[in-house]
């Protein structure tokens, strides 16, 4: 079976299934990805490069659509030689929303298309209004609706779809939901497992272990969507109360989701000016290898995960598997996995006083929360372990490729 993966920054969500399928010689796999993608993977690849950015004078609501069209055109042109070689894929696994897969149905009409849907945009009762607390403007409503154009093209062209969580699946238009499976790409529970003997060297002066008070925060960027402003306010308050508390933050000083600050400052710059910190106990480590992230979760006293109603981060599931105690926002994507007082602690996203109080209770009485850590890991073992999900994923691919998925 010939499988073509389409992902601008491959492997992304396909890393686990790629590694799993490599063990079976029946699969001949290749990748289509952006030329700028620097991720490492051992598969044949075809790269594409958009020939220009969207025009500056285009209607603002059409910027995403034009960018996606240009991306799709670039992918189409780059994949033409594959079609001409006769090595047409039997199935294409595509990450929807960016345009790369928009014209693949036209290029490979006989190939099956299994599309991965992370997010469908809504103008009200969704992520953007949650953060601002304001109704969107008329212009924003138009822009948000049009951002779905590329996704709708993929929904119409797909043979079947996949979405990683029930919450994310629920955001898709109802007419398509019955043809989209809820299937997470899973957590390697053998790799992400508790280990209370771990020590993590932060710098030449600081080495931390599970014996220390350590609160942690992990995200691609430092932004409102992942509650970074609230987290930093909580940190400032807790550092004043607890002279031995260390705070470790993984992620880049940028905005990955949502809006940047209007004053031009990053949220990190703003926070360091707005609040008081003991910076000898506040550790910004940037992006780190997976091994460092795992060690950090293994020593974490409390892992703070705040998110708007939006895409759920893999890191929260991996943290749970590694034995971290989640202090998570009481928003829908988190509540799908965390039950307050059973396998984690839920807090109001915007209430920094309650967040700080919850964390301090954990730091004062760590043994009282040991059972929650165990149950958090059991949640992942029961429902999100790769050893259980990858065979299901493989079967889904087989069924779609054979036309038997109904």
């Amino acid at each position: 079976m010939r499988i073509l993966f389409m992902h601008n920054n491959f492997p992304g969500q396909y890393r686990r299934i790629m590694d799993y399928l490599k063990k079976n010689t029946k699969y001949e796999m290749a990748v289509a990805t952006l030329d700028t993608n620097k991720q490492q993977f051992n598969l044949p690849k075809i790269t594409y490069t958009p020939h220009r950015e969207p025009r500056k004078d285009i209607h603002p609501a059409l910027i995403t659509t034009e960018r996606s069209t240009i991306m799709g055109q670039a992918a189409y042109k780059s994949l033409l030689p594959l079609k001409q070689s006769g090595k047409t894929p039997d199935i294409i696994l595509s990450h929807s929303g960016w345009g790369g897969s928009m014209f693949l149905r036209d290029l490979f009409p006989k190939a099956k298309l299994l599309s991965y849907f992370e997010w469908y945009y809504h103008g009200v009762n969704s992520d953007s209004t949650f953060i601002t607390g304001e109704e969107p403007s008329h212009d924003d409503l138009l822009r948000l609706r049009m951002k779905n154009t590329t996704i709708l093209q993929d929904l119409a062209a797909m043979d079947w779809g996949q979405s990683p969580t029930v919450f994310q699946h629920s955001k898709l238009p109802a007419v398509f939901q019955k043809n989209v499976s809820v299937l997470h790409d899973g957590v390697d529970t053998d790799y992400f497992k508790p280990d209370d003997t771990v020590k993590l060297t932060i710098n030449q002066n600081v080495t931390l272990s599970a014996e220390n008070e350590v609160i942690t925060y992990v995200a691609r960027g430092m932004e409102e969507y992942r509650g970074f402003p609230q987290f930093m306010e909580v940190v400032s308050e807790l550092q004043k109360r607890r002279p031995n508390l260390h705070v470790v933050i993984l992620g880049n000083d940028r905005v990955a989701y949502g809006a940047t600050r209007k004053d031009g400052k990053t949220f990190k710059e703003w926070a360091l000016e707005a609040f008081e910190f003991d910076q000898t106990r506040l550790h910004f480590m940037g992006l780190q290898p997976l091994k460092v992230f795992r060690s950090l979760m293994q020593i974490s006293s409390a892992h703070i995960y705040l998110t708007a109603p939006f895409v759920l981060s893999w890191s929260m599931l991996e943290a749970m598997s590694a034995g971290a105690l989640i202090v998570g926002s009481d928003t829908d994507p988190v509540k799908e996995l965390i039950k307050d007082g059973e396998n984690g602690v839920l807090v109001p996203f915007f209430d920094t006083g309650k967040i700080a109080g919850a964390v301090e209770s954990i730091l004062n009485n760590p043994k009282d929360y040991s059972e929650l850590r165990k149950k958090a890991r059991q949640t992942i073992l029961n429902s999100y372990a790769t050893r259980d999900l990858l065979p299901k994923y493989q079967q889904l691919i087989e069924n779609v490729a054979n036309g038997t998925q109904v």
Side-chain angles (χ1 to χ4, degrees), residues 3-7 10 14 17-18 21 29-32 43 93:
I3 300 174
L4 176 67
F5 293 100
M6 164 64 69
H7 194 301
F10 187 86
Y14 296 124
I17 190 64
M18 171 192 72
L21 296 180
M29 297 183 288
V31 174
L43 286 180
L93 274 64

Side-chain angles (χ1 to χ4, degrees), residues 27 36 65 67 73 108 110 120 143 150 158 172 199 204 229 240 297 311 314 316-317 343 362 378 381 387 398 400 404:
Y27 300 111
T36 54
T65 304
R67 179 176 287 112
Q73 179 187 39
F108 301 115
K110 293 183 179 179
Y120 191 88
R143 179 181 56 82
T150 307
M158 71 176 186
L172 294 169
K199 296 183 185 297
Q204 61 183 1
K240 295 171 187 174
M297 294 303 97
V311 172
W314 292 328
M316 192 190 86
L317 282 71
N343 63 351
I362 294 165
Q378 195 61 49
L381 287 170
R387 63 169 176 258
E398 290 278 352
V400 174
T404 56

Side-chain angles (χ1 to χ4, degrees), residues 196-208:
D196 58 11
T197 67
V198 164
K199 296 183 185 297
L200 181 62
T201 298
I202 304 298
N203 56 48
Q204 61 183 1
N205 299 314
V206 178
T207 297
L208 300 173

Side-chain angles (χ1 to χ4, degrees), residues 8 11 34 76 98 100 122 169 185 213 217 243 360 364 371-372:
N8 280 357
L34 276 172
Y76 186 103
W98 305 101
H122 292 263
H169 179 268
D185 29 305
E213 288 187 355
Y217 177 96
E360 190 153 40
N364 285 335
E371 192 63 26
L372 273 65

Side-chain angles (χ1 to χ4, degrees), residues 387-400:
R387 63 169 176 258
D388 298 321
L389 294 186
L390 290 178
K392 294 180 181 179
Y393 201 163
Q394 180 184 16
Q395 190 60 57
L396 177 64
I397 293 168
E398 290 278 352
N399 290 350
V400 174

Side-chain angles (χ1 to χ4, degrees), residues 165-388:
T165 69
V166 171
F167 171 70
Q168 288 162 254
H169 179 268
S170 73
K171 291 296 180 180
L172 294 169
V175 68
F176 293 110
Q177 288 180 15
K178 65 182 183 298
N179 292 328
V180 179
S181 298
V182 177
L183 182 62
H184 200 275
D185 29 305
V187 175
D188 184 346
T189 54
D190 292 327
Y191 184 80
F192 290 102
K193 60 185 178 182
D195 184 350
D196 58 11
T197 67
V198 164
K199 296 183 185 297
L200 181 62
T201 298
I202 304 298
N203 56 48
Q204 61 183 1
N205 299 314
V206 178
T207 297
L208 300 173
S209 73
E211 298 299 316
N212 299 106
E213 288 187 355
V214 183
I215 64 174
T216 55
Y217 177 96
V218 175
R220 292 174 61 191
M222 301 175 192
E223 60 211 2
E224 291 179 298
Y225 263 52
R226 300 305 192 195
F228 183 75
Q230 290 83 2
F231 173 77
M232 291 300 284
E233 184 175 348
V234 168
V235 166
S236 176
E237 183 59 34
L238 288 177
Q239 277 196 330
K240 295 171 187 174
R241 302 180 199 171
R242 310 189 74 88
N244 297 317
L245 175 65
H246 283 267
V247 180
V248 184
I249 299 168
L250 301 188
N252 279 336
D253 184 18
R254 68 182 183 97
V255 170
Y257 302 114
T260 56
R261 290 183 58 82
K262 293 180 180 179
D263 59 11
K265 296 177 183 178
T266 67
F267 282 100
K268 176 183 175 182
E269 291 169 342
W270 164 81
L272 292 177
E273 293 175 7
F275 307 112
E276 294 181 10
F277 300 99
D278 176 354
Q279 296 199 35
T280 65
R281 297 183 287 124
L282 178 63
H283 312 289
F284 290 93
M285 297 184 68
L287 293 181
Q288 292 289 328
L290 209 56
K291 185 177 180 180
V292 174
F293 165 68
R294 178 182 63 174
S295 296
L296 185 59
M297 294 303 97
Q298 290 167 332
I299 68 170
S300 176
S301 306
H303 180 60
I304 317 303
Y305 181 75
L306 309 175
T307 184
F310 190 58
V311 172
L312 185 68
S313 303
W314 292 328
S315 63
M316 192 190 86
L317 282 71
E318 292 166 342
M320 293 169 69
S321 184
L325 177 60
I326 304 297
V327 178
S329 55
D330 59 356
T331 47
D332 286 340
V334 180
K335 290 193 293 184
E336 186 173 331
L337 277 84
I338 300 291
K339 308 303 177 190
D340 186 39
E342 295 181 18
N343 63 351
V345 176
L346 294 178
V347 291
F349 181 94
F350 293 105
D351 194 330
T352 55
K354 288 187 177 179
I355 298 170
V359 174
E360 190 153 40
S361 177
I362 294 165
L363 297 174
N364 285 335
N365 308 284
K367 292 183 179 178
D368 293 349
Y369 294 85
S370 58
E371 192 63 26
L372 273 65
R373 294 175 181 271
K374 294 176 183 176
K375 289 185 177 179
R377 175 166 168 79
Q378 195 61 49
T379 298
I380 303 302
L381 287 170
N382 290 348
S383 302
Y384 297 94
T386 51
R387 63 169 176 258
D388 298 321

Side-chain angles (χ1 to χ4, degrees), residues 89-105:
D90 296 301
I91 185 169
I92 302 168
L93 274 64
S94 68
H95 183 238
S96 178
W98 305 101
S101 58
M102 193 152 59
F103 305 118
L104 296 186
R105 173 62 70 208

Side-chain angles (χ1 to χ4, degrees), residues 39-80:
Q39 300 293 319
Q40 299 298 311
F41 51 89
N42 188 25
L43 286 180
K45 69 177 179 178
I46 299 164
T47 60
Y48 47 90
T49 304
H51 69 283
R52 65 173 176 85
E53 287 293 314
R55 296 197 319 270
K56 292 182 179 179
D57 61 346
I58 197 172
H59 191 291
L62 292 173
I63 291 174
T64 299
T65 304
E66 184 175 24
R67 179 176 287 112
S68 297
T69 303
I70 294 167
M71 186 78 71
Q73 179 187 39
Y76 186 103
K77 287 182 176 179
S78 293
L79 287 165
L80 268 173

